[in-house]
Amino acid sequence: MSFPKGFLWGGAVAANQIEGAWNEDGKGWSVEDVVTFKPKVDVKDYKANVHTSLEGVKAAMADPDPTYYAKRRGIDFYHHYKEDLALFAEMGFKVFRLSIAWSRLFPTGEETEPNEKGIAFYEDVLREMNRLGIEPLVTLSHYEMPLELALKYNGWADRRVIGLFVRFCEVCFRRFGKYVKYWLNFNEIDSLIRHSFTTAGIIPELCGERGELACCYQAAHNQFVAGAMVTKLLRELVPGAQMGLMLTKLTTYPHTCAPEDVAATQKKNLENFFYADVQVFGEYPRLILRDLEKRGLTPEMEPGDLELIRAHTVDFVSFSYYNSSTESVDPNVERVPGNTILGVKNPYLPSSEWGWQIDPVGLRISLIELYDRYRKPLFVVENGLGMRDTVEPDGSIHDPYRVDYFRAHFREMEKAIDAGVELMGYTSWAPIDLVSANTNQMSKRYGFIYVDQDDLGQGTLERRRKDSFYWYQKVIATNGENM
Ligand code: BG6
């Protein structure tokens, strides 16, 4: 079987990694604007670039040196969006996933009226996409919240942030609803346990006696409640629109068939599913509640929270998939990085320079697992390969490794579809080179389109088509027949 008619092929980005213009037209500070770039960061240390202390955040706010704050520059999509959207249209995109920077609409998060200049920017972008026939897929929260809310409330650990987020979403639905059918609430919602500052604005020293982890689970609960409220609101304000959840699919295999390794793997996978379970089934899994209780991490819930979560579940399940890993109870096995995780090295898989283990079959396994568990349409909203690219003297960029990566993953998607999985679409991460989330490097490139900018922000910002650009164009034109 091949890809279904109307399959949504496209690409995905996040505001904080592309827009730049971090303080233009009334935009406020976001948590990502104080995230530093450190040139020789250890690939295993995905938190190395993130300030997790109040002192660090304040020092970053006082530091004008643009060299260390790559996210403040992005790839200047703010001023290049027409050119970039035209390139996506040239590739034949049916869909483009982007996020709305909360701090562009509500600079401190607490204004009573939104910043009209921020709204105008997104209206222009969405109108242009509409004109080009590209369906928007909008993430409401992608590693970006007004920094003020982190400093004042400790981010999502405080319930008061729920109402502020709902107000932001209401503005998005009212002003952008006519252009947007598909919405995602929280990007990689499970990741707040792994990088709580960028995902949820949590500053550990503000967490008090219960500690950072308790704060994180409280933040997760607050996001579940906010997610349910926002889904309810979307259904009231934009009839026919759909809300999806977004999970980091941390596909984990037992390192060996020793039952203890299998049990440890099972535990890890259940933790990963937890964040989707709540949003699809409308209730906390009993095993997770028990585990949180034993560890003294049960979040505080208010009357009515669980009813809300039960009543407003999501329409579809989206996820990111970059790599798989394995789990072992043996403390001496080698651990390697993946997307915000450290897993045990799988001897059967190759790794990228950043250590992420490439596993196309794992995508098929993930699709089948998620569909069998949730029986909801699925959407692969992130998948791609970060690599260094070389620009040849004639300006061309040959990236057969990227084509190989995508082709292998697409073949596995086909097999999952053939097995009966309902797959709505696929957005590659990322169709254009951008600032990497974990390392803040430019040189970890994902795009079909090259951007002339280095890790220190030097370059003309010129866009160039890589070989993979033409390949993806052909894939989309033939709906996956010709890879
Ligand atoms: C996901 C994020 O975790 O992985 C993206 O949603 C991110 O924002 C992507 O860019 C790839 O990670 P990295 O660190 O290679 O940019």
Side-chain angles (χ1 to χ4, degrees):
M1 195 195 262
S2 50
F3 291 91
K5 200 166 170 279
F7 188 77
L8 293 167
W9 293 99
V13 298
N16 76 79
Q17 290 168 268
I18 60 162
E19 283 180 5
W22 69 282
N23 58 359
E24 272 181 51
D25 292 337
K27 181 181 170 294
W29 286 91
S30 110
V31 288
E32 289 287 353
D33 297 328
V34 294
V35 164
T36 47
F37 161 66
K38 291 183 191 143
K40 291 211 171 90
V41 107
D42 175 358
V43 289
K44 288 192 182 163
D45 188 359
Y46 54 83
K47 276 192 177 175
N49 288 305
V50 177
H51 288 294
T52 48
S53 69
L54 261 181
E55 197 193 339
V57 170
K58 289 188 176 149
M61 289 177 83
D63 188 348
D65 186 345
T67 312
Y68 292 101
Y69 302 97
K71 297 277 172 63
R72 294 184 192 170
R73 285 189 316 263
I75 53 162
D76 201 26
F77 179 78
Y78 196 76
H79 299 109
H80 286 74
Y81 72 89
K82 280 210 171 127
E83 181 186 350
D84 294 342
L85 293 175
L87 286 163
F88 301 153
E90 189 183 326
M91 264 190 285
F93 275 25
K94 312 286 181 211
V95 66
F96 175 51
R97 175 181 173 225
L98 71 168
S99 70
I100 310 270
W102 185 355
S103 58
R104 216 177 264 295
L105 267 50
F106 290 91
T108 67
E110 295 203 281
E111 290 77 6
T112 45
E113 294 300 325
N115 169 25
E116 285 298 329
K117 285 192 174 160
I119 291 186
F121 167 66
Y122 292 110
E123 269 177 342
D124 286 350
V125 170
L126 293 169
R127 226 179 277 123
E128 184 66 3
M129 287 172 66
N130 204 265
R131 195 181 70 77
L132 295 167
I134 303 174
E135 185 92 53
L137 169 61
V138 170
T139 316
L140 291 158
S141 174
H142 193 136
Y143 297 169
E144 197 274 346
M145 76 187 299
L147 183 60
E148 194 64 27
L149 300 181
L151 295 170
K152 186 165 171 190
Y153 297 114
N154 203 18
W156 278 97
D158 191 309
R159 246 196 113 85
R160 283 172 290 185
V161 170
I162 297 176
L164 299 171
F165 181 70
V166 173
R167 189 165 60 189
F168 157 68
C169 293
E170 181 173 348
V171 169
C172 292
F173 299 156
R174 286 192 190 279
R175 304 294 291 271
F176 311 138
K178 56 178 172 292
Y179 303 109
V180 186
K181 177 174 176 190
Y182 300 110
W183 300 81
L184 299 175
N185 49 27
F186 298 98
N187 181 66
E188 298 189 334
I189 183 166
D190 51 290
S191 69
L192 57 78
I193 301 296
R194 298 184 295 280
H195 46 98
S196 61
F197 179 68
T198 39
T199 314
I202 291 171
I203 299 172
E205 73 207 67
L206 302 182
C207 285
E209 273 177 15
R210 290 188 68 204
E212 184 184 356
L213 211 47
C215 255
C216 289
Y217 283 107
Q218 187 62 54
H221 177 72
N222 293 343
Q223 292 197 345
F224 293 144
V225 173
M229 287 179 169
V230 160
T231 299
K232 176 172 184 284
L233 196 62
L234 179 68
R235 290 181 181 142
E236 287 163 9
L237 296 178
V238 194
Q242 294 189 19
M243 180 63 76
L245 68 84
M246 193 327 197
L247 186 75
T248 323
K249 184 67 181 72
L250 300 175
T251 305
T252 309
Y253 311 133
H255 192 59
T256 71
C257 50
E260 285 308 322
D261 278 356
V262 178
T265 306
Q266 181 181 51
K267 184 159 192 307
K268 216 170 169 186
N269 283 326
L270 288 178
E271 277 167 13
N272 186 219
F273 283 130
F274 155 49
Y275 298 86
D277 286 354
V278 175
Q279 299 184 75
V280 174
F281 301 135
E283 60 182 29
Y284 273 74
R286 191 179 148 85
L287 300 183
I288 293 288
L289 279 179
R290 175 81 186 115
D291 182 53
L292 292 178
E293 186 193 333
K294 283 196 294 188
R295 293 193 286 155
L297 297 172
T298 309
E300 283 170 20
M301 302 187 192
E302 285 197 356
D305 282 0
L306 295 178
E307 288 71 15
L308 254 175
I309 289 172
R310 184 182 294 277
H312 307 289
T313 55
V314 293
D315 299 301
F316 64 98
V317 172
S318 82
F319 66 98
S320 62
Y321 175 84
Y322 290 89
N323 57 274
S324 66
S325 59
T326 78
E327 184 57 311
S328 163
V329 289
D330 179 351
N332 299 317
V333 287
E334 187 190 351
R335 295 205 165 248
V336 290
N339 184 12
T340 69
I341 51 153
L342 274 185
V344 177
K345 189 166 186 174
N346 186 334
Y348 299 100
L349 298 175
S351 307
S352 79
E353 187 187 326
W354 282 265
W356 299 18
Q357 294 206 278
I358 300 166
D359 178 16
V361 177
L363 177 56
R364 170 166 38 120
I365 294 169
S366 305
L367 285 161
I368 289 176
E369 211 172 26
L370 287 168
Y371 190 67
D372 189 50
R373 191 177 183 96
Y374 299 125
R375 319 260 159 112
K376 292 269 181 200
L378 302 181
F379 208 137
V380 178
V381 294
E382 282 187 35
N383 170 242
L385 179 65
M387 289 289 276
R388 290 180 203 280
D389 291 322
T390 308
V391 184
E392 302 297 335
D394 67 356
S396 57
I397 298 131
H398 307 305
D399 55 346
Y401 36 83
R402 192 164 286 113
V403 169
D404 288 347
Y405 178 97
F406 284 121
R407 186 190 292 117
H409 285 77
F410 294 174
R411 294 228 156 102
E412 297 301 327
M413 291 198 305
E414 256 184 322
K415 289 181 196 162
I417 291 167
D418 187 47
V421 168
E422 271 179 272
L423 186 58
M424 298 163 68
Y426 174 93
T427 54
S428 72
W429 187 272
I432 185 163
D433 293 346
L434 40 63
V435 182
S436 144
N438 290 282
T439 62
N440 293 297
Q441 290 168 325
M442 250 332 268
S443 48
K444 188 181 187 190
R445 294 178 182 274
Y446 282 92
F448 302 114
I449 300 162
Y450 185 89
V451 177
D452 180 26
Q453 177 171 248
D454 66 14
D455 287 340
L456 300 177
Q458 310 299 314
T460 60
L461 287 172
E462 187 198 348
R463 276 66 169 152
R464 276 173 190 279
R465 297 164 187 79
K466 304 181 192 174
D467 287 358
S468 58
F469 179 100
Y470 302 102
W471 176 81
Y472 196 42
Q473 187 181 50
K474 184 180 68 185
V475 171
I476 298 176
T478 59
N479 198 24
E481 283 290 312
N482 193 345
M483 306 187 193

